[in-house]
Amino acid sequence: MTLRRLALLPGVLALSACEGGFQSPLAPAGEQAASIHSLFWLMMAVCGFMYLLVLAGLGIGLLRARRRRSETGEPSINPADRGLTRGLVAWAALIVVGLAVLITGSFLVERTIAGARARDALEVRVTGHQWWWRIQYRDPATGAWIETANELHLPLGQTTRIALGSSDVIHSFWVPNIAQKLDLIPGRINRVDLTPTRAGWFRGQCAEFCGVQHAHMALDVKVDTPEEFARWLASQRRPATPPADPAAARGLQLVTRGQCAMCHAIRGTQAVGRAGPDLTHFGGRRSVAAGTLTMSRGAVQGWITQPQAVKPGTMMPPVALSPADADAVSRYLMDLK
């Protein structure tokens, strides 16, 4: 990094903090992210202070060498320089104190984010796939599991305990505004608690390189008020509503009797596949293909007919449909809310 770019770094960090944070660890919206944010600024303060002391010591040394050079004509080092000795002792003490502060701060933050939360926390399972997210909620009313994909809803001010797993390779769950990173490892379950403190939309991202479409494995995260979350969960509990529109009804037949049903489930229909995302309330989601496309009929049609052009390497095969059938399928899927 050049000196010019290094000089711009504080400004870039300051501007990042002012953005408001759709995906920024500098704008925390959760208790766990706020703890990490505090540790970050503690490290910046300690390291910045030590860096300024190094610069000050270097400047003092240069001035003293210049003064001695002007007196004798040659630079010299006095081994009995008491000021230098005291300075080195003080510097060593400062390093010990600085490390002690950082270790203590890191230990306290680790205890904060890894500590047990409320026993009545909402239980959620998140499973990583190449390249999408399977999300399951334990219904507090019935104990049954409700499945969705690629969009995580969290209740504001309440703790959600998330069990993280993977079906294929190592992924990493990271919602910078709300919590720290934690790996999703095949054959192992890791758990993380999230306690949002600010409502709104945020963006999560797989933070471990997991294949060619790693960058297109995003996660939309919505923090709802408790009332909004209860309504949303109640809507997700219901099976899909049969379409009233004739074109959408044609789409229902194509989806449930064609190859779509082999990989996707739509509760309330004959589609019970498990290889791909659950589509029961697909039309109510914010994006298509794990954050790759904004939800729209055009995006849905493009994704169904040419998924490899949108997301090369995806497990989603292209579906051969006439333009009229592709329109019918997209109408049906967009009606699933």
Side-chain angles (χ1 to χ4, degrees):
M1 180 181 291
T2 64
L3 291 176
R4 185 177 179 181
R5 291 181 178 179
L6 186 63
L8 294 175
L9 184 58
V12 172
L13 291 175
L15 289 175
S16 299
C18 295
E19 284 180 351
F22 178 57
Q23 182 181 349
S24 170
L26 299 178
E31 291 183 4
Q32 293 77 13
S35 298
I36 297 173
H37 183 253
S38 300
L39 179 61
F40 168 76
W41 284 113
L42 176 65
M43 294 180 65
M44 289 290 289
V46 172
C47 294
F49 177 69
M50 302 296 279
Y51 179 66
L52 291 177
L53 284 182
V54 169
L55 292 182
L58 178 62
I60 292 172
L62 290 175
L63 290 174
R64 293 182 68 183
R66 183 177 181 182
R67 186 171 61 248
R68 287 175 179 170
R69 183 194 298 271
S70 64
E71 293 173 352
T72 63
E74 295 292 336
S76 63
I77 298 176
N78 183 359
D81 189 332
R82 293 184 177 179
L84 177 60
T85 302
R86 292 171 181 168
L88 290 176
V89 172
W91 177 244
L94 280 174
I95 290 177
V96 173
V97 172
L99 289 175
V101 169
L102 293 180
I103 291 172
T104 302
S106 178
F107 174 75
L108 294 176
V109 169
E110 286 286 342
R111 282 180 59 87
T112 299
I113 62 178
R117 301 279 165 170
R119 292 184 178 181
D120 58 349
L122 176 70
E123 291 184 63
V124 176
R125 294 174 181 166
V126 174
T127 305
H129 297 261
Q130 286 180 312
W131 294 273
W132 59 281
W133 308 87
R134 186 189 304 276
I135 302 172
Q136 297 165 297
Y137 296 80
R138 184 186 285 279
D139 189 347
T142 65
W145 290 93
I146 301 171
E147 184 166 321
T148 180
N150 299 325
E151 191 169 299
L152 177 63
H153 282 245
L154 300 171
L156 177 67
Q158 299 180 13
T159 298
T160 299
R161 182 159 301 144
I162 299 182
L164 300 170
S166 173
S167 68
D168 37 51
V169 301
I170 296 176
H171 303 278
S172 187
F173 176 85
W174 190 30
V175 186
N177 295 80
I178 298 177
Q180 73 281 11
K181 292 187 288 186
L182 194 63
D183 284 348
L184 298 85
I185 302 172
R188 179 185 175 90
I189 298 297
N190 287 329
R191 289 180 172 78
V192 61
D193 285 351
L194 307 184
T195 311
T197 57
R198 179 155 51 90
W201 282 100
F202 302 96
R203 186 177 187 274
Q205 172 67 43
C206 178
E208 180 82 20
F209 180 73
C210 57
V212 295
Q213 288 299 325
H214 158 72
H216 287 159
M217 188 175 170
L219 178 69
D220 291 317
V221 180
K222 176 68 171 15
V223 177
D224 300 312
T225 64
E227 295 77 16
E228 290 172 339
F229 179 79
R231 288 195 294 272
W232 177 84
L233 192 62
S235 70
Q236 298 297 308
R237 190 182 297 133
R238 294 193 293 268
T241 304
D245 179 71
R250 168 66 178 162
L252 166 63
Q253 294 180 349
L254 291 168
V255 169
T256 57
R257 299 178 184 177
Q259 64 188 92
C260 301
M262 299 174 66
C263 296
H264 298 281
I266 302 176
R267 281 176 279 124
T269 74
Q270 299 174 0
V272 293
R274 293 285 298 163
D278 187 298
L279 302 180
T280 303
H281 299 286
F282 174 81
R285 296 172 192 163
R286 185 181 175 92
S287 64
V288 180
T292 305
L293 302 171
T294 302
M295 180 64 74
S296 69
R297 281 178 53 199
V300 173
Q301 289 189 36
W303 173 244
I304 293 172
T305 55
Q306 294 293 334
Q308 298 300 323
V310 176
K311 203 168 182 175
T314 180
M315 301 296 179
M316 171 84 174
V319 181
L321 294 172
S322 68
D325 286 347
D327 180 68
V329 170
S330 65
R331 286 177 182 274
Y332 171 62
L333 294 177
M334 292 293 290
D335 282 348
L336 293 174
K337 297 181 178 177

